[in-house]
Amino acid sequence: MASPTEISASEFKAKCLQILDDVASHHSSVVVTKHGKPVARLVPMEDQRQPLGGSWEGSVKVHGDLLDFDTSLDWEANP
């Protein structure tokens, strides 16, 4: 990633939506300044999708067939 672009807070306010689009599409970052001093950094979000099982992978073990169960059992529920 290239070095971040600096932009004044007033310019950021005027062009906010376009800057957000640019950061997302170019995977770049922007430093927002007030009176020439950096106050915030806008960076693109990392991809939040995880493969199915992601954080559960390796922590759940299945013993037997989950769909093979005795339906003739009587179940009681608390009233």
Side-chain angles (χ1 to χ4, degrees):
M1 187 184 313
S3 61
T5 302
E6 287 193 8
I7 189 168
S8 68
S10 59
E11 186 176 355
F12 177 77
K13 181 179 176 182
K15 299 178 181 178
C16 178
L17 297 178
Q18 181 60 51
I19 294 168
L20 290 173
D21 290 342
D22 291 345
V23 166
S25 65
H26 300 300
H27 205 74
S28 59
S29 64
V30 173
V31 173
V32 181
T33 63
K34 280 182 114 177
H35 307 293
K37 295 181 181 177
V39 293
R41 181 181 313 225
L42 180 63
V43 296
M45 290 290 297
E46 297 296 325
D47 189 6
Q48 298 296 313
R49 292 178 284 165
Q50 292 184 349
L52 186 59
S55 61
W56 288 91
E57 190 171 3
S59 62
V60 175
K61 294 185 191 253
V62 177
H63 298 281
D65 185 354
L66 293 177
L67 301 178
D68 182 27
F69 52 91
D70 188 354
T71 58
S72 67
L73 295 175
D74 289 329
W75 290 78
E76 293 182 26
N78 292 331

